């Protein structure tokens, strides 16, 4: 098999699309975090929960996690089609893998949250912060890959 499997021009466009898609997913996670913080502040202050934020946070969380996983898989496929070497960009791959693992863990933890499960809520919050930080880092690394 000879790499790249598709034209260089198309690969360049797909790299840009991959980056813009994942930048959009990162921004969606920041919006998602905002809803989570609204809920968290209301719980801590013992005030009524912002029901719209709760509804959106519960509904959009799994969707955003799937979008994040999709961006990871698309990146893997793109690198494979381009070079045939999945480890061509090891730092970008490592951080992307960490994001994927954190998304899975966050999803699993969120499914166990019920009632006043403060420890699980705190864990979910911390994992969310790690996801946001990793996304920012991976966007910066990805810009370096594009240049």
């Amino acid at each position: 098999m000879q790499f790249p499997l598709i034209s260089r021009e198309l690969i360049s466009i797909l790299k840009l699309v991959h980056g813009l898609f994942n930048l959009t997913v990162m921004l969606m996670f920041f919006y998602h975090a905002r809803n989570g913080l609204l809920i968290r502040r209301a719980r801590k202050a013992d005030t009524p929960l912002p029901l719209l934020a709760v509804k959106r946070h519960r509904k959009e969380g799994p969707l955003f996690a799937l979008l994040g996983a999709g961006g990871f898989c698309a990146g893997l496929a793109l690198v494979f089609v381009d070079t045939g070497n999945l480890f061509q960009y090891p730092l970008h791959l490592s951080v992307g893998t960490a994001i994927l693992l954190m998304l899975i863990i966050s999803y699993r933890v969120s499914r166990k949250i019920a009632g006043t499960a403060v420890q699980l809520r705190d864990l979910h919050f911390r994992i969310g912060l790690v996801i946001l930080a990793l996304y920012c880092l991976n966007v910066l690394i990805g810009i370096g890959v594009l240049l």
Side-chain angles (χ1 to χ4, degrees), residues 132-145:
L132 293 176
L134 288 172
Y135 256 110
C136 290
L137 177 62
N138 220 22
V139 164
L140 291 174
I141 295 167
I143 290 170
V145 167

Side-chain angles (χ1 to χ4, degrees), residues 20 25 30 36 53 58 81 84:
L20 290 174
V25 171
F30 273 95
R58 289 180 180 167
V81 167

Side-chain angles (χ1 to χ4, degrees), residues 43 106 108-115 117 120-122 124:
R43 283 190 190 280
S106 180
R108 302 247 350 227
V109 167
S110 73
R111 293 291 157 209
K112 294 178 184 178
I113 294 174
L120 289 176
R121 290 181 199 283
D122 284 344
H124 183 69

Side-chain angles (χ1 to χ4, degrees), residues 4 9 16 51 56-57 81 85 88 92 109 111 117-118 122:
E9 294 81 18
L16 187 58
L51 296 180
R56 286 181 177 163
H57 195 73
V81 167
N85 178 10
Q88 182 72 27
H92 194 60
V109 167
R111 293 291 157 209
V118 176
D122 284 344

Side-chain angles (χ1 to χ4, degrees), residues 97-132:
T97 302
I99 291 170
L100 183 63
L101 290 173
M102 290 294 110
L103 289 173
I104 292 167
I105 293 168
S106 180
Y107 176 78
R108 302 247 350 227
V109 167
S110 73
R111 293 291 157 209
K112 294 178 184 178
I113 294 174
T116 59
V118 176
Q119 288 179 330
L120 289 176
R121 290 181 199 283
D122 284 344
L123 179 60
H124 183 69
F125 171 72
R126 288 187 185 111
I127 293 169
L129 290 178
V130 169
I131 290 169
L132 293 176

Side-chain angles (χ1 to χ4, degrees), residues 49-84:
L49 294 177
L51 296 180
L52 186 57
V54 171
K55 182 179 176 182
R56 286 181 177 163
H57 195 73
R58 289 180 180 167
K59 181 181 175 185
E60 294 168 351
L63 174 64
F64 293 166
L66 281 175
L67 290 173
F72 176 82
C73 292
L76 280 180
L78 183 58
V79 170
F80 182 75
V81 167
D82 183 19
T83 66

Side-chain angles (χ1 to χ4, degrees), residues 82-96:
D82 183 19
T83 66
N85 178 10
L86 294 179
F87 301 101
Q88 182 72 27
Y89 307 105
L91 185 58
H92 194 60
L93 175 64
S94 299
V95 176

